[in-house]
Amino acid sequence: MQLVEVTTPKLAREFIQVNVQLNRKDPHYIRPLDKDINQVFDPALNKAFRHGEAIRWILKDDQGGLAGRIAAFVNKKYRSKGDNCPVGGIGFFDCIDNQDAADMLFDVARHWLLQRGMGAMDGPINFGERDRFWGLQVEGFQPPVYCLNYNPAYYQRLFEQYGFRPYFNQICYGMRVDLPLARKFYTRHDALAADPKYVARHMEKRHLARYARDFAIVYNKAWAGHGGMKELSEAAVLKLFQSMKPVMDERINWFVYYDGEPIATWVNLPDLNQWFKHLDGQFDWWHQLKFLWIKHTRRVTKFTGIAFGIVPEFQGRGVDAFMIVEGAKLIQGRHLYDEYEMQWIGDFNPKMINVAESLPTQRTRRLVTYRYLFDRTQPFKPHPLV
């Protein structure tokens, strides 16, 4: 077998084809959009390159066939509370069911990270934000939602036999939209609704700049600083919202205000993969036209959670119930969707786990972020609770 560093456009295309070839026989597999993968490794489009670097390899068998792939990253902004050494990352791992082949991929990434002063590697993770391409799926092998990692079940064995250990679990929850909420949600909702200073409203596309500002305020108070998550500028959020606008359903994106100030947000999207699965990874002008036709003619039956957060000073007051009930009045009342699936929640966040499990949900899938310590005598510690 031979490792080849990705240094040309042709090899970049082969890097994508590894994933396609190893998964195409799986009926649940949905090919990611090529552009979403390529953007991760484009310094002009991925801001993570300002603070780090990335590299990719392809593994070829003795006949020149594609047998695996891996990427490695160094990001100075990536760290978790309690880390006692610099931690690098690996991601976009695919491999035939062969431990020797997997070990070759893990070894080349480990050596590259060692040369850059890293003391551990986490994976599979993204070279960028945690909302995409993060974690190894180990339970709930059903069609993935947009930008959620999907992989064969045997990958778990390849990681763990190499020596990776679970750093944290990533739990996804789902529910039928028509199921009633527990009575306690309405009780807590009504207590806040009696105070006119509490107001909930859904996003309006014509006022994206306003909601970008409000989201940035909530995000930076509720999430920034956890697990290396950086603050977001209002301009960055506006750019994100503008990119989401063609597929955004403003009726499923909610904000709560207290005395006019944003204190909570609940951001969702239609399950884009119900449309994108028909594009075979392509998004050129022809496939964009095809996408618009599919979007116009095919109803999406599921919406997915992207972000749910409350600023710290209002946590524990029932704001979550207030926002969920206000959103449910519209979402359930108009039967906008049949199913709901939340973006993954780390098991290091028991507060959000409790919110999810207080709803009529079921665990739909579990992914794992693994860690491998280069010093094998060093005691392993899971991700600290937040």
Side-chain angles (χ1 to χ4, degrees), residues 56-82:
R56 289 172 284 176
W57 294 272
I58 295 169
L59 181 65
K60 295 190 175 184
D61 61 26
D62 294 338
Q63 290 73 45
L66 300 175
R69 69 174 189 174
I70 199 168
F73 327 112
V74 171
N75 187 345
K76 294 177 182 178
K77 298 291 185 178
Y78 179 70
R79 57 183 175 271
S80 299
K81 183 179 179 181

Side-chain angles (χ1 to χ4, degrees), residues 278-280 282-292:
H278 302 286
L279 304 182
D280 193 30
Q282 307 306 305
F283 210 63
D284 53 25
W285 68 268
W286 166 246
H287 287 86
Q288 290 179 41
L289 291 175
K290 182 177 179 180
F291 164 73
L292 292 174

Side-chain angles (χ1 to χ4, degrees), residues 5 8 32 43 60 62 79 97 101 110 146 181 199 285 295 310 350 369 376:
E5 182 184 344
T8 67
K60 295 190 175 184
D62 294 338
R79 57 183 175 271
D97 190 0
R110 177 166 58 91
Y146 180 58
L181 300 173
V199 175
W285 68 268
K295 179 174 177 288
I310 303 167
T369 296
R376 306 307 288 164

Side-chain angles (χ1 to χ4, degrees), residues 181-211:
L181 300 173
R183 182 66 240 170
K184 64 181 180 180
F185 275 86
Y186 295 98
T187 301
R188 296 168 68 199
H189 165 273
D190 294 348
L192 268 63
D195 184 345
K197 290 185 178 180
Y198 285 100
V199 175
R201 65 172 69 102
H202 66 73
M203 185 185 293
E204 298 174 283
K205 292 183 181 181
R206 58 189 178 134
H207 297 307
L208 276 188
R210 175 202 303 169
Y211 291 104

Side-chain angles (χ1 to χ4, degrees), residues 94-214:
D94 279 295
C95 188
I96 58 174
D97 190 0
N98 181 294
Q99 191 66 50
D100 290 338
D103 290 353
M104 288 184 67
L105 291 165
F106 293 139
D107 281 347
V108 72
R110 177 166 58 91
H111 292 151
W112 185 84
L113 291 168
L114 274 167
Q115 292 170 2
R116 282 149 184 80
M118 299 297 104
M121 58 184 178
D122 287 355
I125 67 172
N126 183 32
F127 186 46
E129 299 297 337
R130 295 190 179 197
D131 63 346
R132 52 181 57 197
F133 307 127
W134 201 286
L136 188 82
Q137 180 150 11
V138 297
E139 292 178 6
F141 292 90
Q142 56 185 298
V145 297
Y146 180 58
C147 287
L148 185 72
N149 273 347
Y150 183 84
N151 53 264
Y154 68 81
Y155 282 18
Q156 181 178 7
R157 169 168 40 84
L158 299 181
F159 269 79
E160 294 181 359
Q161 287 190 2
Y162 185 79
F164 282 93
R165 296 182 62 182
Y167 186 47
F168 60 86
N169 290 293
Q170 305 163 228
I171 304 168
C172 299
Y173 293 88
M175 61 178 286
R176 282 180 22 218
V177 171
D178 60 356
L179 291 177
L181 300 173
R183 182 66 240 170
K184 64 181 180 180
F185 275 86
Y186 295 98
T187 301
R188 296 168 68 199
H189 165 273
D190 294 348
L192 268 63
D195 184 345
K197 290 185 178 180
Y198 285 100
V199 175
R201 65 172 69 102
H202 66 73
M203 185 185 293
E204 298 174 283
K205 292 183 181 181
R206 58 189 178 134
H207 297 307
L208 276 188
R210 175 202 303 169
Y211 291 104
R213 178 190 71 88
D214 297 345

